[in-house]
Amino acid sequence: MPVPIPRQRAIPAAESGQAQGAFSPGSPSGEATGGPAGAAPAPHAATTPVDSTTNLTLLVIEDDPAGSLSVPEMLDAAGKPIRIRTARNLTEAERLLTDDVHCILLDLALPAPGRAATESDDELTTLKHVLRLAPRHAVLALTASGDAERGAEAVRVGAQDYLFRDELDGRLLSRAIRYAVERKRSDKAERRLTESRLRAQENARLERGLLPTPLLEGSSLRFAARYRPGRSRALLGGDFYDTVRTPDGTVHAMIGDVCGHGPDEAALGVELRIAWRALTFAGLCGDELLSTLQQVLEHERESDEIFATLCTVDIAPDGRRAGLCLAGHPSPLISRPGRPAELLPYENGGPALGLLHGARWPRRQVELGGEWSLMLYTDGLIEGHIGEGKERLGQDGMVDLVRRRLAEGLTGEELLRATVNEVRDLNGGELTDDVAVLLLDRTP
């Protein structure tokens, strides 16, 4: 019998040779193999991968009392016999539907469970049941000769193709099986890719939404920041920063680093940043603010081993002085006209948040002057290597690097971009730790 392949749709290039013999569903054990045929590249199955050592297996689900249905013997594209199993009903099909089955040939005339063959309010009930039963398998629908409309509806519902009952031919049927298996595999891969893209887009939107928006309305200070997470293809890491101006005109800046740089650390960093902003607007500052942040950290962290370093700066409304608190964090760098860039005093700082219960963080008064540029950063900027050796850049190397860039006349975003890029180049590639850099400038 000729094959059940719709003439109106293109089929992969036919292999040479004709299948020999025929198979009757009533043969012993319900499984048979066919004789030789031509060769063509074998596709991958939707279940068990198809390679040169794998035999394709077809499960035929049909109930033909007259015994007129005959499935021909077939070979796959590699010249291996296609194994055939038969089931008279869906219960038997479920038992035979093992992982080594690659394709199902379903007779659409088969009654659905609990329904008489004459009931036809939904002719594809049986097909839908099989699709739910075997979501990972390729399915070919078998319909009456010339009933292309019903076959097309079967494809719309979820079958990979449809065949005409009285046109079964070994050569074309084997090709249809391999086409269905490959199409199912391709559809599955495309669906996974689409889901992965949507998930990545959703994560990107979420992470972008969690990055801070500085609140500096009314301030004459200029703000710039650079952020580079250590996680591959991430937008957010364990580093965090923020800058706000309170109603009294004071500008508060903060930068911090949760140990580690995975998604849990990124989430904790966001929580600490939001808590810092809320506490700052509530009027807390210095030791009182950091003590409260430590309580937040202790309640939100997953392990007692998690800690966070922090640097806070509150700049007076006149912009000439600031209060500095360090919680195990590197000291900011300040540059002023006529003077080399240098680190702010870092003596008498307190421990990182989460290390010592009842710790204290003294606030140190710093004179800034009339014109200055203040750079806050995380340790990812200074812990990169220099060349292929084990030597790290360190704070001294970072200070020298920034001095050179300032001498070139770089400021703001250009200064931060050039600094981070040079640190990466000195490291010989991307930095493995998160990097956050924040810059505040005051120009009369």
Side-chain angles (χ1 to χ4, degrees), residues 103-123:
C103 185
I104 297 171
L105 178 61
L106 172 67
D107 187 353
L108 295 181
L110 185 72
R115 296 170 59 88
T118 56
E119 296 183 79
S120 59
D121 55 313
D122 186 351
E123 296 180 336

Side-chain angles (χ1 to χ4, degrees), residues 60-299:
V60 180
I61 308 176
E62 61 86 28
D63 184 14
D64 183 20
S68 59
L69 178 62
S70 179
V71 179
E73 295 179 345
M74 297 167 290
L75 286 181
D76 63 19
K80 296 181 177 296
I82 295 179
R83 297 179 297 186
I84 301 174
R85 298 177 185 173
T86 59
R88 295 296 186 182
N89 51 58
L90 296 182
T91 301
E92 186 176 347
E94 186 172 2
R95 179 176 60 81
L96 296 175
L97 191 61
T98 53
D99 287 340
D100 60 338
V101 172
H102 302 93
C103 185
I104 297 171
L105 178 61
L106 172 67
D107 187 353
L108 295 181
L110 185 72
R115 296 170 59 88
T118 56
E119 296 183 79
S120 59
D121 55 313
D122 186 351
E123 296 180 336
L124 298 178
T125 299
T126 303
L127 172 62
K128 294 175 182 177
H129 184 89
V130 169
L131 292 174
R132 289 194 298 268
L133 186 68
R136 297 181 294 114
H137 294 74
V139 176
L140 291 171
L142 189 63
T143 187
S145 178
D147 194 357
E149 183 176 348
R150 191 180 188 193
E153 179 68 9
V155 172
R156 188 192 67 79
V157 168
Q160 273 59 60
D161 211 334
Y162 67 89
L163 315 175
F164 295 134
R165 183 183 178 88
D166 59 351
E167 294 183 355
L168 293 180
D169 171 84
R171 181 175 62 87
L172 294 180
L173 178 55
S174 64
R175 185 176 62 180
I177 293 170
R178 287 181 281 118
Y179 167 71
V181 168
E182 177 62 20
R183 180 175 176 181
K184 182 67 176 181
R185 186 202 65 81
S186 177
D187 289 346
K188 185 177 180 180
E190 183 177 356
R191 182 171 63 254
R192 285 180 173 176
L193 179 61
T194 300
E195 291 173 351
S196 177
R197 286 174 175 170
L198 291 175
R199 189 160 50 247
Q201 291 171 1
E202 182 178 346
N203 290 341
R205 287 194 298 269
L206 175 62
E207 292 187 357
R208 276 195 296 267
L210 293 176
L211 290 173
T213 301
L215 300 179
L216 289 174
E217 185 177 357
S219 173
S220 61
L221 301 183
R222 294 184 302 173
F223 170 89
R226 295 285 289 178
Y227 194 95
R228 185 190 296 270
R231 287 187 296 141
S232 174
R233 293 183 293 181
L235 295 177
L236 198 64
D239 291 2
F240 54 99
Y241 67 88
D242 205 352
T243 305
V244 299
R245 180 177 183 268
T246 49
D248 64 356
T250 302
V251 171
H252 302 260
M254 170 272 290
I255 196 164
D257 180 4
V258 177
C259 64
H261 40 267
D264 292 336
E265 289 77 13
L268 182 55
V270 171
E271 290 180 275
L272 292 175
R273 178 185 68 78
I274 294 174
W276 175 87
R277 177 176 284 200
L279 294 171
T280 298
F281 278 120
L284 275 66
C285 186
D287 179 77
E288 186 180 11
L289 186 149
L290 292 175
S291 296
T292 308
L293 281 180
Q294 173 157 282
Q295 295 179 38
V296 174
L297 172 65
E298 291 172 345
H299 281 89

